[in-house]
């Protein structure tokens, strides 16, 4: 099939590369000329395991094309995916200007039947707005061309997006008629062979499914962080609690790891957007607001532990931070807990030495003017002369470090672990002051 994708960001590029990898011919369209030229030269704008080789191999094979010419893109594919950004507006609602801009562009250039597919995460009712935008342009052209609008939300985890696309848990298709469903089913057939993963429904239900899924996962995280905060005050160990409740198949082990808050491009934005959607129809979504509030508060917990340990005197001190991306296997720092932590440390007059396996360039871009930030080439390098080690991201290389090196490099043997990587009793035996999230041993110096 010939398929067009508008947007070469995280969702668009993964979608385009994976569809091309199974034999479809895909054209990715973007307004950013530099990004398109870089992609043609094999330069990938994001870090995502496994993505670079399939982009390069399919580009070289001629199945994956990149262009800034919108007309060329509209002419190319019968399926037109919209995979552009929906950033939060000032009030937290999703900004649909890029989605509607692409819709109007499709309406302007289409000359035959098209299936317009909302792949971006969009509020309920966006399908109607996309349909109206295209119809208005066609009417201005005095055209009665047929088209269908479909919702096909993505369920890709950053850090495992290629695997998620190639072996999806489900493929949700929201449509008002059977014709577009069959065309999209054909496009996804290579990913749907062992058993039928396609779930078809109406457009509004598909749009809500995406938000509901992310809100549910965010709720589990915030709930577990509440349990962790309670465990600290009760002298319990939240890791034992996690194992105890995770063994219940109705709960499961996924997304019940306590920590210093969730971040990224999806959960914060999508929870806020769903809250705004609820407000717009006169419903007070108390639970979702609490999920967001707990997460906002949780991002300051690591700083609060550090500040209390040093008796509120952080001025002039230096802290080593391991992990800057919002999660492992990505360079994405959107809404990352590390950003809240660093900014609070700087506000208190402290200096930061930081290391991350992939997010160093992004950190440099965001904090280019920050004098109190030293980005180090290795995790060991940023320990030297620091007053304590703070861990924000659970990268694999942080799980079994040389603890003797850590102890000898720090001015005092203090570790503040926002991801519960180590065992408190073992750390105590090694002579560390170790503070994690909701661990029983941590409570002794805080109450």
């Amino acid at each position: 099939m010939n398929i067009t994708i508008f947007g070469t960001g995280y969702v668009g590029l993964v979608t385009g590369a994976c569809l091309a990898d199974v034999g479809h011919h895909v054209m990715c369209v973007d307004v950013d000329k530099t990004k398109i030229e870089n992609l043609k030269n094999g330069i990938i704008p994001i870090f995502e395991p496994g993505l670079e080789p399939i982009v390069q191999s399919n580009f070289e094979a001629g199945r994956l094309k990149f262009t800034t010419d919108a007309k060329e893109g509209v002419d190319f594919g019968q399926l037109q995916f919209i995979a552009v950004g929906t950033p939060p507006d000032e009030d937290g609602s999703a900004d649909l200007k890029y989605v509607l801009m692409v819709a109007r562009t499709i309406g302007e250039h289409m000359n035959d039947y098209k299936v317009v597919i909302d792949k971006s995460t969009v509020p309920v009712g966006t399908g109607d707005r996309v349909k109206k935008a295209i119809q208005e342009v066609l009417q201005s052209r005095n055209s009665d061309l047929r088209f269908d609008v479909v919702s096909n939300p993505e369920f890709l985890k950053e850090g495992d997006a290629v695997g998620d696309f190639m072996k999806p848990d489900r493929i949700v298709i929201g449509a008002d008629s059977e014709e577009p469903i069959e065309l999209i089913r054909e496009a996804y057939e290579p990913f749907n062979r062992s058993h039928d993963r396609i779930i078809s429904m109406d457009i509004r239900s598909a749009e809500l499914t995406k938000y509901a899924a992310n809100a549910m996962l965010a709720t589990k995280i915030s709930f577990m962080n509440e349990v962790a905060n309670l465990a600290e005050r009760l002298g319990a160990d939240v890791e034992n609690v996690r194992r105890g409740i995770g063994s219940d198949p109705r709960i499961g082990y996924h997304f019940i790891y306590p920590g210093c808050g969730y971040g990224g491009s999806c959960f914060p934005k999508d929870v806020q957007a769903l809250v705004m959607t609820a407000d717009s129809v006169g419903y007070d979504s108390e639970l979702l607001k609490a999920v967001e509030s707990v997460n906002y508060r949780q991002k300051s917990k690591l700083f609060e532990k550090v500040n209390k340990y040093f008796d509120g005197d952080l001025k002039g001190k230096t802290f080593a931070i391991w992990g800057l991306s919002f999660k492992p296997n990505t360079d994405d720092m959107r809404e990352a807990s590390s950003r809240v932590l660093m900014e609070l440390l700087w506000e208190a007059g402290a200096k930061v030495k930081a290391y991350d396996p992939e997010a160093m360039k992004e950190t440099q871009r965001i904090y280019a003017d920050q004098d109190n930030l030293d980005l180090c080439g290795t995790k060991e390098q940023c320990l030297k002369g620091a007053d304590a080690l703070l861990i924000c991201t659970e990268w694999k290389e942080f799980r079994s470090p040389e603890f003797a090196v850590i102890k000898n490099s720090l001015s005092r043997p203090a570790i503040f672990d926002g991801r519960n990587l180590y065992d408190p009793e073992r750390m105590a035996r090694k002579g560390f002051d170790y503070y994690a999230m909701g661990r029983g041993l941590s409570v002794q110096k805080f109450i």
Side-chain angles (χ1 to χ4, degrees):
M1 300 181 75
N2 284 357
I3 297 171
T4 298
I5 297 179
F6 282 88
T8 58
Y10 181 81
V11 174
L13 190 58
V14 171
T15 300
C18 290
L19 287 170
D21 203 48
V22 297
H24 295 303
H25 293 268
V26 180
M27 180 172 288
C28 292
V29 185
D30 203 292
V31 296
D32 189 331
K33 293 181 180 179
T34 300
K35 183 187 287 187
I36 290 298
E37 288 305 311
N38 284 341
L39 285 166
K40 289 179 179 178
N41 291 313
I43 302 172
I44 308 298
I46 57 174
F47 173 75
E48 179 62 40
L51 180 60
E52 184 173 344
I54 65 171
V55 169
Q56 291 180 349
S57 63
N58 285 284
F59 177 74
E60 291 168 1
R63 290 188 297 271
L64 183 60
K65 302 177 185 295
F66 300 103
T67 184
T68 57
D69 188 335
K71 183 181 185 306
E72 183 183 13
V74 176
D75 289 342
F76 183 80
Q78 185 176 36
L79 302 185
Q80 302 271 315
F81 282 86
I82 301 178
V84 295
T86 54
D89 218 333
E90 291 182 5
D91 61 359
S93 61
D95 187 345
L96 296 178
K97 64 182 176 184
Y98 301 115
V99 170
L100 296 176
M101 188 182 303
V102 172
R104 287 189 287 268
T105 297
I106 294 170
E108 180 182 346
H109 296 296
M110 62 184 286
N111 290 307
D112 53 11
Y113 173 72
K114 302 291 182 184
V115 179
V116 181
I117 305 162
D118 282 329
K119 195 70 174 171
S120 303
T121 300
V122 294
V124 177
T126 299
D128 295 334
R129 296 182 63 181
V130 167
K131 184 176 182 179
K132 181 180 179 182
I134 297 172
Q135 284 176 331
E136 288 175 349
V137 174
L138 289 176
Q139 287 172 0
S140 71
R141 293 173 53 192
N142 294 317
S143 172
D144 58 357
L145 286 169
R146 289 194 314 117
F147 69 94
D148 279 298
V149 174
V150 172
S151 175
N152 174 221
E154 54 87 12
F155 298 97
L156 305 177
K157 296 187 297 291
E158 289 195 42
D160 195 23
V162 173
D164 282 346
F165 199 99
M166 294 296 194
K167 297 179 179 180
D169 297 318
R170 72 285 206 199
I171 302 168
V172 173
I173 304 174
D176 294 331
S177 62
E178 194 62 30
E179 183 178 4
I181 293 177
E182 287 307 309
L183 286 169
I184 298 174
R185 180 181 286 275
E186 181 182 346
Y188 281 119
E189 186 60 31
F191 314 102
N192 194 41
R193 296 181 69 84
S194 61
H195 65 274
D196 191 1
R197 296 177 173 88
I198 290 178
I199 304 171
S200 58
M201 58 185 72
D202 62 279
I203 294 174
R204 286 183 169 238
S205 294
E207 292 169 338
L208 183 55
T209 296
K210 169 62 177 180
Y211 278 108
N214 280 354
M216 182 70 232
L217 297 176
T219 299
K220 292 183 73 173
I221 295 171
S222 283
F223 171 80
M224 207 61 200
N225 283 331
E226 285 281 73
V227 173
N229 294 333
L230 184 59
E232 284 188 4
R233 287 157 177 78
L234 295 174
D237 188 336
V238 75
E239 286 300 302
N240 292 331
V241 177
R242 180 184 64 79
R243 289 193 294 270
I245 68 172
S247 60
D248 186 331
R250 296 169 300 175
I251 299 172
Y253 290 104
H254 295 297
F255 288 86
I256 61 168
Y257 288 86
C260 49
Y262 61 75
S265 62
C266 295
F267 287 4
K269 173 176 69 71
D270 292 353
V271 172
Q272 291 171 16
L274 192 52
V275 168
M276 290 304 302
T277 298
D279 288 345
S280 71
V281 293
Y283 180 73
D284 184 12
S285 52
E286 297 176 75
L287 180 58
L288 292 177
K289 290 176 180 177
V291 168
E292 186 180 15
S293 176
V294 168
N295 190 60
Y296 179 81
R297 186 179 67 214
Q298 195 70 16
K299 291 183 179 182
S300 302
K301 288 292 180 182
L302 212 55
F303 173 80
E304 292 171 8
K305 292 177 184 289
V306 173
N307 196 45
K308 192 159 190 175
Y309 179 84
F310 288 95
D311 297 320
D313 183 16
L314 303 183
K315 189 173 183 179
K317 290 183 171 58
T318 300
F319 295 97
I321 294 182
W322 283 2
L324 298 166
S325 57
F326 86 93
K327 65 179 286 189
N329 296 324
T330 181
D331 59 355
D332 195 342
M333 287 187 64
R334 285 174 287 185
E335 302 286 342
S337 300
S338 64
R339 297 178 62 172
V340 175
L341 175 61
M342 288 192 293
E343 289 167 13
L344 287 170
L345 289 171
W346 291 327
E347 187 178 331
K351 297 180 180 180
V352 170
K353 298 176 72 176
Y355 167 77
D356 186 282
E358 293 295 338
M360 303 294 269
K361 288 184 180 178
E362 181 66 2
T363 307
Q364 179 62 44
R365 183 190 69 81
I366 296 170
Y367 296 113
D369 299 327
Q370 179 53 250
D371 295 331
N372 287 331
L373 173 62
D374 182 10
L375 295 176
C376 303
T378 66
K379 64 180 185 295
E380 292 81 12
Q381 185 181 340
C382 74
L383 295 169
K384 296 176 181 177
D387 291 282
L389 168 62
L390 287 53
I391 302 173
C392 288
T393 314
E394 62 274 30
W395 286 93
K396 285 184 179 179
E397 68 177 87
F398 301 155
R399 294 181 182 178
S400 297
E402 293 284 350
F403 288 108
V405 172
I406 297 175
K407 193 172 182 181
N408 292 332
S409 299
L410 297 174
S411 64
R412 65 180 75 191
I415 298 178
F416 297 84
D417 184 358
R419 298 301 173 186
N420 288 1
L421 297 184
Y422 314 129
D423 178 72
E425 293 184 4
R426 187 176 297 118
M427 298 305 292
R429 290 196 299 269
K430 291 179 181 294
F432 283 96
D433 293 334
Y434 178 70
Y435 300 98
M437 312 302 286
R439 309 302 299 271
L441 291 180
S442 302
V443 78
Q444 296 172 6
K445 291 192 177 182
F446 282 85
I447 294 181

